[in-house]
Amino acid sequence: MPHRKKSNINITPVQLAPEFQFALSVDCVIFGYDRGVLKVLLIESDLPSFKGQWSLLGDLMHPDENLDQASHRILRERTGLKDMFLEQVKTFSSIDRHPAGRVITTAYFALVNVRDYQLKKLDHNLHWHVVSDIQSLAFDHKEILDQSLEALRKKIQEGPIIFNLLEKKFSMRDLQNVFEQILGVSMDRRNFRKKIFSTGLLKDEEEMEKQVNHRPGKLYSFNYETYEQLKKKSSSDFRF
Amino acid sequence: MPHRKKSNINITPVQLAPEFQFALSVDCVIFGYDRGVLKVLLIESDLPSFKGQWSLLGDLMHPDENLDQASHRILRERTGLKDMFLEQVKTFSSIDRHPAGRVITTAYFALVNVRDYQLKKLDHNLHWHVVSDIQSLAFDHKEILDQSLEALRKKIQEGPIIFNLLEKKFSMRDLQNVFEQILGVSMDRRNFRKKIFSTGLLKDEEEMEKQVNHRPGKLYSFNYETYEQLKKKSSSDFRF
DNA sequence: ACAAAAGTGTTGCTGGTACACCCATGT
DNA sequence: ACATGGGTGTACCAGCAACACTTTTGT
């Protein structure tokens, strides 16, 4: 696999028919959950006009791929991860959103397991940033981040995508913590457990947390098989 | 205002750098509610490969506008309506979705009041089609319609956008009917009224339906001022 | 008079929320 | 022993669903 340079989009101005005076890119908002905190993977911008600022991982779309494929390619090239959870958020098209010319970008959000990512680190210009600490980003990427986070908030309540942020086996506390981080609320522990267990979709792994300096919690996994069966039967949309 | 030709996108092949081998278009899914039935405004396709098929209203994006502006322009040019409710749904980018070349399209859905539209009819190749009767459309427009309808279903439950489909003054029956048409369910009349009234956002217009061959119902309007105040105060997201 | 839809309350159920004590582990 | 978070049950309340009869208009 060719290792593409990690620079931001760089466009050479050309004289073109108006219908073709656009470039199309994909920007990925890569969310990760790292020991209690929601983070996003950013790259240092090397465009002069955004010197020292951070930006999302993006690239121009290739002629032989669609947007979904482009977003997967970006994730693969930059993080080494395959088959990640990726979802289209919105397309951003302000006329002056990119200093180099007319670049329309489609935002995707990705949910990755930080531990998987660490095994395959490829690029030392990438860093995880605490989402709630981010004040500004290069281009219109702060707005893209905000809207992606909003989309994520909705989606985690519609389906069991949140497990993409956790390891296969996780504690109840971690699960509740991710919800709280993303939604920006705090929840009652007993009610949370009740609600989660009432779905019948968690499998008790008969295993315990280790190396915690308090009473260790049980580990669970999400039962995708049961979930798929349940989806087929109750055709109405499932609220997690 | 120049009256643009109503043909579908027509691209002259040019030799270009790969980054520019795209065209960008907007397709509008224009929903209307007409005497009890949910409809969508379609145009007869004049591309040879889609002869006789219907398609959504679309056009290429102009270099001096963003996607939101393009969608408003399309609606204005084709229906004469301004300031319509328009919302971005998704961007469709299959490699072979358009026979003339690589065209990426962003779908918007619009909600129009059919009576307003009829006052300003501009184009006799446009026709309203009953949404539930549509089996297939040109290009990938059936998929775009399906996903737009799905987006509409979600959105009408998150905010009071449904009133864009009705006249300013409407009967309780019409309101319930639009919900039922869009969601594809039937609801209990008493519970529906209770729920709607409990928001406190309907204004009794002290007026009655006319020329119906049964007991006439009261007419109501949606109180946007009260709604805006309510939104400010309760910062949490309002469920309609 | 008849047909068609408007208008109107009560009851039961379900799901959400609030809340406090004992337990297992590491230091 | 102490600190830290794990594990557990109950009672209340609000919102949703089910359900039937009388009223008003046009024909």
Side-chain angles (χ1 to χ4, degrees), chain B residues 64-115:
Chain B
D64 58 347
E65 63 186 7
N66 63 29
L67 288 166
D68 283 4
Q69 291 163 344
S71 65
H72 277 97
R73 172 176 55 79
I74 292 169
L75 230 75
R76 192 170 6 91
E77 288 174 0
R78 299 299 178 76
T79 69
L81 295 172
K82 293 180 182 179
D83 303 322
M84 282 295 93
F85 180 87
L86 266 167
E87 179 132 334
Q88 192 187 121
V89 176
K90 197 180 167 180
T91 299
F92 295 82
S93 60
S94 303
I95 293 173
D96 55 0
R97 59 172 299 282
H98 198 293
R102 195 71 205 278
V103 184
I104 280 73
T105 198
T106 302
Y108 277 73
F109 75 76
L111 303 181
V112 312
N113 175 327
V114 173
R115 182 153 316 192

Side-chain angles (χ1 to χ4, degrees), chain B residues 6-155:
Chain B
K6 55 186 175 295
S7 69
N8 285 295
I9 296 146
N10 195 2
I11 293 159
T12 48
V14 196
Q15 198 61 33
L16 293 161
E19 285 79 5
F20 291 98
Q21 286 179 350
F22 305 106
L24 257 169
S25 69
V26 172
D27 283 303
C28 294
V29 182
I30 303 170
F31 289 112
Y33 172 74
D34 185 14
R35 283 159 299 171
V37 188
L38 184 69
K39 296 189 175 174
V40 62
L41 192 60
L42 299 176
I43 189 170
E44 217 163 358
S45 174
D46 56 3
L47 274 194
S49 46
F50 288 109
K51 192 76 182 173
Q53 292 189 56
W54 294 88
S55 72
L56 301 170
L57 269 67
D59 194 10
L60 292 174
M61 187 167 82
H62 293 181
D64 58 347
E65 63 186 7
N66 63 29
L67 288 166
D68 283 4
Q69 291 163 344
S71 65
H72 277 97
R73 172 176 55 79
I74 292 169
L75 230 75
R76 192 170 6 91
E77 288 174 0
R78 299 299 178 76
T79 69
L81 295 172
K82 293 180 182 179
D83 303 322
M84 282 295 93
F85 180 87
L86 266 167
E87 179 132 334
Q88 192 187 121
V89 176
K90 197 180 167 180
T91 299
F92 295 82
S93 60
S94 303
I95 293 173
D96 55 0
R97 59 172 299 282
H98 198 293
R102 195 71 205 278
V103 184
I104 280 73
T105 198
T106 302
Y108 277 73
F109 75 76
L111 303 181
V112 312
N113 175 327
V114 173
R115 182 153 316 192
D116 287 350
Y117 166 74
Q118 282 174 341
L119 300 175
K120 311 190 184 183
K121 248 183 190 175
L122 292 179
D123 190 325
H124 290 291
N125 283 34
L126 298 178
H127 292 281
W128 288 103
H129 292 245
V130 177
V131 170
S132 57
D133 287 351
I134 296 170
Q135 300 297 323
S136 73
L137 294 172
F139 311 97
D140 53 356
H141 286 187
K142 179 62 162 63
E143 194 199 343
I144 296 179
L145 170 62
D146 290 343
Q147 292 204 31
S148 299
L149 183 56
E150 199 46 56
L152 175 61
R153 285 192 181 122
K154 280 190 188 173
K155 294 281 175 189

